[in-house]
Amino acid sequence: MSISKRAWVPVICIVTLSTLLHTGCRKKEEPKLPIVVVAVPQKEDVLIINEYVGSIRAVSYVEVHARVEGFLERMLFAEGKPVKQNEPLFIINSAQYRARVEKAKAQLKKSEAQASKARRDVERLRPLYEQHAASQLDLDNAIAAQEDAEANIAMNKADLDQAELQLSYTTVVSPISGYISERFVDVGALVGPGVNSKLAAVVKSDTVFVDFKMTDLDYLRAQRRNVQFGVQDSTRSWQPTVTVTLADNSEYPIKGIVDFADPKVDPKTGTFTVRAILPNPNQRLLPGQFTRVKILLDMRERSIVVPRKAISIEKGGAFIYVVRRGDNIAEKRFVQMGPEIGNNVVIERGLGENEQVVTEGYHKLTPNIEVRPVSAYDEETIERLREEDKL
């Protein structure tokens, strides 16, 4: 039994109408928007700091030498302890030098007696010469004898001064105030110029120098930031201060100031020496110690800073995604990066301070796509989304 073509028409209409009614009853599903975490860029005073390896050096390191020869009789200090300038340190046997002083005194006394006789001879002969009772030759000889005696007095005084000076050298004193090293010779040893002359050393370390090397590129960058090493600029709110670390990697609490930069570059290494000076009142920094040196080279006030993880790099440069506030459209924005500070980066150009930057979820984005932004400060929502694997 066959059904005519006319009979099919109502059946098709009924099926089509039923399908349309069923489709219209279902709620239209909304597309799922990608979820991203956004944050507003921070405005910070960014410190530009470079780090180097440096060494501690005492402001003064003076060796104590014996200036006269003799046997060392006594040591008057405690090794490693503070000493004051001109404080006696060593005593050298002085017998021979005292004898020289006495001999010089006697010679001076003899010369003074001879000069006194010569003056009396001149005084006696001058009236006789004027009365034509003595010859010109006799007077000239007397005057010459007087001048010779006076010259001998001057020479003997110089000999006495030298003898007394050598005698004073038998007491070896500290040239500066500071901490004294261990003795380099033992009591009883023969000391003097050319024979064990170095007795000890005195270190002045209540203030220390920190020496480190900078490259010529560092110098060029510092010049571009108007940093003149060794010169303090009172017109700016910061100075090129130096911070050093102690042996336990903690920071020394007192900052130093760069006071010298070598005017030439070492052609072998391409570096030049920079020196900073630091107070060291408690002797926590030891001369000869190596340390890490951090030097403040610049401070950029009110810079725009974003997390380093928000930035992507491609052939065209660095870019970030910025979510527009009105319609939540994610824009791909190329930016100019500045220095990196920890986990943050300074943005030199391409970003405003009140814009929303995508910090998480940007790997799911394409330019000009609508997104669902979540504030980086909404930690509870972010944690839940991570658990649901939606971030």
Side-chain angles (χ1 to χ4, degrees):
M1 182 177 177
S2 62
I3 302 176
S4 66
K5 292 181 180 181
R6 292 177 177 269
W8 279 103
V9 174
V11 174
I12 294 172
C13 292
I14 294 172
V15 172
T16 302
L17 181 61
S18 174
T19 302
L20 291 173
L21 290 173
H22 180 70
T23 303
C25 291
R26 288 188 302 176
K27 184 178 181 180
K28 184 179 180 180
E29 294 184 359
E30 297 181 357
K32 293 183 179 180
L33 301 179
I35 302 173
V36 294
V37 178
V38 297
V40 175
Q42 299 179 0
K43 297 281 286 186
E44 296 181 2
D45 293 340
V46 177
L47 305 180
I48 309 301
I49 297 175
N50 281 14
E51 187 171 325
Y52 306 92
V53 175
S55 60
I56 307 298
R57 177 166 58 92
V59 169
S60 297
Y61 176 88
V62 182
E63 295 179 349
V64 179
H65 287 263
R67 303 178 68 175
V68 293
E69 187 176 293
F71 290 97
L72 195 63
E73 288 187 341
R74 283 185 291 162
M75 183 182 75
L76 306 176
F77 63 90
E79 296 169 305
K81 299 299 182 180
V83 294
K84 295 182 178 180
Q85 188 175 17
N86 296 324
E87 178 181 336
L89 303 177
F90 297 94
I91 300 296
I92 300 173
N93 184 279
S94 62
Q96 60 177 323
Y97 301 103
R98 292 185 185 280
R100 291 178 185 177
V101 169
E102 295 303 321
K103 181 180 179 180
K105 286 180 178 179
Q107 190 64 44
L108 176 60
K109 189 173 182 180
K110 179 181 177 181
S111 297
E112 288 174 343
Q114 291 174 346
S116 178
K117 179 182 179 301
R119 283 193 295 271
R120 290 194 300 270
D121 289 343
V122 171
E123 291 173 357
R124 183 173 62 253
L125 285 172
R126 194 178 297 279
L128 294 174
Y129 169 74
E130 293 174 352
Q131 298 172 6
H132 304 288
S135 66
Q136 179 71 47
L137 179 60
D138 293 337
L139 180 59
D140 289 345
N141 289 337
I143 293 174
Q146 179 186 355
E147 292 174 348
D148 183 62
E150 291 175 349
N152 285 336
I153 290 176
M155 183 173 62
N156 293 144
K157 283 184 177 180
D159 290 340
L160 178 59
D161 289 342
Q162 185 176 9
E164 289 177 338
L165 184 61
Q166 288 183 327
L167 176 61
S168 70
Y169 289 159
T170 60
T171 300
V172 182
V173 299
S174 176
I176 60 172
S177 298
Y179 285 79
I180 193 165
S181 68
E182 63 178 350
R183 68 183 186 278
F184 299 147
V185 293
D186 294 326
V187 174
L190 178 65
V191 298
V195 184
N196 294 329
S197 69
K198 186 177 178 181
L199 306 180
V202 181
V203 179
K204 181 178 176 59
S205 56
D206 54 353
T207 301
V208 295
F209 289 133
V210 182
D211 298 319
F212 55 98
K213 300 285 188 179
M214 296 183 70
T215 66
D216 48 359
L217 180 59
D218 292 332
Y219 179 80
L220 179 61
R221 289 172 176 170
Q223 291 294 312
R224 289 173 177 171
R225 298 186 183 110
N226 295 321
V227 176
Q228 297 289 336
F229 295 116
V231 178
Q232 303 302 309
D233 187 353
S234 59
T235 62
R236 62 185 175 216
S237 60
W238 62 276
Q239 300 297 336
T241 55
V242 168
T243 304
V244 301
T245 57
L246 301 174
D248 59 358
N249 291 326
S250 63
E251 285 193 354
Y252 183 64
I254 305 176
K255 297 184 183 298
I257 293 291
V258 173
D259 71 332
F260 168 78
D262 198 325
K264 64 181 183 303
V265 174
D266 186 346
K268 296 181 180 179
T269 61
T271 61
F272 65 100
T273 301
V274 179
R275 185 185 73 192
I277 186 168
L278 284 84
N280 188 31
N282 299 320
Q283 310 297 317
R284 296 180 67 185
L285 299 176
L286 300 178
Q289 174 184 359
F290 284 95
T291 182
R292 290 203 316 274
V293 180
K294 296 180 180 179
I295 178 171
L296 176 61
L297 293 177
D298 196 5
M299 183 175 74
R300 301 190 179 184
E301 299 179 354
R302 303 288 295 167
S303 297
I304 295 179
V305 176
V306 300
R308 178 66 183 84
K309 63 181 181 179
I311 298 177
S312 300
I313 306 294
E314 66 177 19
K315 189 174 181 180
F319 68 91
I320 58 176
Y321 276 100
V322 177
V323 177
R324 296 198 306 236
R325 294 185 180 276
D327 51 11
N328 291 336
I329 298 297
E331 293 182 349
K332 184 177 181 180
R333 185 85 58 81
F334 283 93
V335 294
Q336 180 179 340
M337 296 173 55
E340 295 188 23
I341 311 297
N343 294 324
N344 296 329
V345 179
V346 174
I347 301 299
E348 304 279 7
R349 189 177 304 167
L351 182 65
E353 57 181 284
N354 294 318
E355 297 189 275
Q356 298 182 113
V357 176
V358 177
T359 59
E360 289 188 58
Y362 53 82
H363 58 281
K364 301 178 292 185
L365 305 183
T366 56
N368 300 319
I369 186 175
E370 186 179 356
V371 297
R372 175 187 163 192
V374 177
S375 172
Y377 299 103
D378 190 354
E379 297 180 358
E380 182 177 346
T381 302
I382 292 175
E383 185 63 28
R384 178 175 54 79
L385 292 172
R386 284 174 179 165
E387 292 177 355
E388 297 174 358
D389 199 23
K390 293 182 179 180
L391 269 180

